Structure formats: structure tokens, C-alpha cells
Amino acid sequence: MNKQQRTVFYLSDRTGITAETLGHSLLTQFDGIAWEVVSVPFLDDIEKARTVSIRINEAAEQDDCRPLVFSTLLNPEVLEVIKQSNCRIFDFFETFIRSIEEELHLPFARMAGRSHGLQHHLSYFKRIAAINYVLAHDDGISPKHYAEADIILIGISRTGKTPTCLYLGLQYGIAAANYPLTPDDMHRHALPQVLENVKSKLFGLTLSAAQLHSIRSERRPNSQYASLEQCEKEIQWQESLFRKCSVPYLDTTRISIEEISAIILTRCGLRRQLYG
């Protein structure tokens, strides 16, 4: 079945993160459409708006249907230019701000960039520090500083420890370290000594043998490391170790990095450093 081709524009005075995140979340609820995505951040003057308006009209003609436009534009003159285009516009501020103003009995500031700026400077710098910590404590580096970690992810090779740590640091300001369990650890059937004193911070990641086999095969095809038999053996061992040592763990086989991170935060009671 051929999918319908349509174009979606994400427009913003600043980074466009809010418009794109909210718009994408809404569009994932609709199947059967192949979206051509156009993101336009820093759309902050009339001339830029006119150029984007031309692109919108061209997309409408090419698709033979009007594009969707998700907007967090605050400049009313810029927004008016976009509204004259052949599109269906969804303005997040227009949708929500008026009712919030009525409830709070306050006018909104009409200032771009506040949600991703430095107004919440303490939270922002906590996140920067967390990212630096993640980078400095990846793959078992500097275990002597594990006491400073908010959480330490453990698991065998290629179970998603590093990307999850990076996401936790970047999005939530969580100081996350990760430690790889190796075939040498399998013979001991015990946690590595370096983790014994930080056991309360440990969280394990696991996945199906088939998925691990697929991931490892991309890195080292036709190797013993990537063989399905080796993957099954290592996963059985690590899950047995997690249960024996009472380490909470999560099967990430069908879960995104975003979901993994949210589950870890919830299960471990960690505070998100989002806005201060």
C-alpha cells in the first residue's frame, strides 16, 4: 500500500525544539502518511517569513494538498505572513496561551526562547556538569568517582548503556556512569569488586538474544562475540547475576532510549533536572 505524501513544517522564533517535539508526537498517531519534514528555526523577521511562505506554497503544489505547519512563532507580523500561505497552521501559543492568561489573570511575556534559554541557569549548569560526568565515566572509566554518580548502568557489551547515559545527562541532568560486564566476570558469577561499594546505585540493562546478536553482528560480523549462542549465554548469565545480587534491571528489547530513561528515573526515584 502506497503512503500518502505530505509535507509538515515546524516553525519557531528560536530553536524549534518545542514545535517539532509536540508536532511529531501528534503526527505519530496517524498512519498511512509519508511525511516530508521541514524544520525552520530562528524565523524572526518578515523577509525570512516570506521565503518560508514561498516554500510552503511550493510544497502545497507539489503534494497537491496543503502542508501542515506547527508553530511556536511569537512575532505577530511573522506569523501573519505564514498564515497567508496555503497551509493548515497549528499555533501552539495561540491554542493554549489565551486560556492560561484567563486562568492566571496575567498577560504572557511574548518573549522567544524562554523554554530553552538560560533563565533557569542553575538547572542548566547542572545538566552541563552531568554531561561532563557521563563522558568522563563511560565504559568503566574512573570508577573511583562512582560515589558521585546518581546512577550506574551495568550490562554486557552493546546493551545500550552509553546512549542511555548520554540521554539521561543531556535531557535530565542525571550524572550517569556505566560499567561493562565482561566474559571474565562470568567466571566469578559475582559483581566486579569495584561495584560492591556502590551497589545501591546500580541498574542493569538487558535485551533479547536475537536483538543483541543483530547489534553485535553489525559491529563484528561472523565473530564468536556476535554469535547467537554467545549472546544467549551472556544474557542468561547477566540476568542470573542481577537476580542473585538484587540489582534492578530492565529488558530494553522493544523500548526506545526515551522510554528506557523515563522508566529508570521512575523506578530509581531520581529527580529530573529540567527547569530548576
Side-chain angles (χ1 to χ4, degrees), residues 130-131 133-138 146 148-153 161-162 164-166 168-169 173-178 270:
I131 295 167
Y133 184 89
V134 170
L135 294 174
H137 297 84
D138 181 42
Y146 278 178
E148 301 167 16
D150 293 316
I151 192 165
I152 304 166
L153 301 185
K161 300 183 298 299
T162 294
T164 303
C165 284
L166 287 170
L168 286 168
I174 300 297
N178 75 79
L270 296 175

Side-chain angles (χ1 to χ4, degrees), residues 26 67-72 88-93 95:
L26 293 170
L68 304 189
V69 173
F70 292 98
S71 163
T72 53
R88 177 66 164 90
I89 188 165
F90 300 91
D91 185 335
F92 289 117
F93 283 109
T95 300

Side-chain angles (χ1 to χ4, degrees), residues 71-144:
S71 163
T72 53
L73 296 169
L74 283 169
N75 185 320
E77 295 177 343
V78 169
L79 184 58
E80 187 58 33
V81 172
I82 301 301
K83 285 182 176 180
Q84 300 309 309
S85 310
N86 184 13
C87 65
R88 177 66 164 90
I89 188 165
F90 300 91
D91 185 335
F92 289 117
F93 283 109
E94 190 174 80
T95 300
F96 297 108
I97 284 291
R98 300 308 173 196
S99 57
I100 296 174
E101 281 184 321
E102 292 173 5
E103 180 64 26
L104 299 180
H105 304 292
L106 289 170
F108 80 107
R110 199 177 286 279
M111 293 180 65
R114 281 195 162 186
S115 62
H116 299 290
L118 294 180
Q119 287 78 12
H120 307 289
H121 62 281
L122 182 58
S123 176
Y124 177 81
F125 287 116
K126 283 182 178 178
R127 287 167 62 197
I128 295 299
I131 295 167
N132 287 331
Y133 184 89
V134 170
L135 294 174
H137 297 84
D138 181 42
D139 206 29
I141 299 173
S142 301
K144 63 181 179 180

Side-chain angles (χ1 to χ4, degrees), residues 135-263:
L135 294 174
H137 297 84
D138 181 42
D139 206 29
I141 299 173
S142 301
K144 63 181 179 180
H145 296 133
Y146 278 178
E148 301 167 16
D150 293 316
I151 192 165
I152 304 166
L153 301 185
I154 63 171
I156 55 178
S157 173
R158 314 311 288 180
T159 51
K161 300 183 298 299
T162 294
T164 303
C165 284
L166 287 170
Y167 191 88
L168 286 168
L170 179 62
Q171 294 295 325
Y172 299 125
I174 300 297
N178 75 79
Y179 190 94
L181 298 174
T182 68
D184 290 340
D185 296 318
M186 292 178 65
H187 302 302
R188 297 178 58 244
H189 202 66
L191 288 172
Q193 188 64 41
V194 71
L195 300 178
E196 286 293 345
N197 292 331
V198 287
K199 188 175 176 182
S200 62
K201 298 176 182 283
L202 301 182
F203 194 97
L205 296 184
T206 190
L207 72 172
S208 72
Q211 184 169 332
L212 182 62
H213 167 62
S214 176
I215 294 170
R216 287 185 173 184
S217 293
E218 291 182 7
R219 189 181 188 193
R220 297 184 196 170
N222 303 315
S223 64
Q224 174 63 24
Y225 163 80
S227 70
L228 183 59
E229 180 182 7
Q230 181 66 22
C231 292
E232 290 174 340
K233 182 179 179 182
E234 290 186 32
I235 286 173
Q236 289 173 3
W237 164 75
Q238 81 160 3
E239 291 182 2
S240 175
L241 179 66
F242 293 155
R243 292 190 292 268
K244 175 186 175 184
C245 300
S246 300
V247 173
Y249 69 96
L250 177 66
D251 185 334
T252 66
T253 303
R254 295 179 178 85
I255 309 178
S256 67
I257 293 294
E258 294 86 349
E259 291 173 300
I260 294 168
S261 300
I263 291 170

Side-chain angles (χ1 to χ4, degrees), residues 25-48:
S25 295
L26 293 170
L27 293 184
T28 58
Q29 299 300 314
F30 298 90
D31 300 323
I33 300 176
W35 293 103
E36 175 69 24
V37 176
V38 181
S39 296
V40 185
F42 304 107
L43 182 56
D44 51 12
D45 65 45
I46 299 297
E47 287 306 311
K48 290 180 183 178

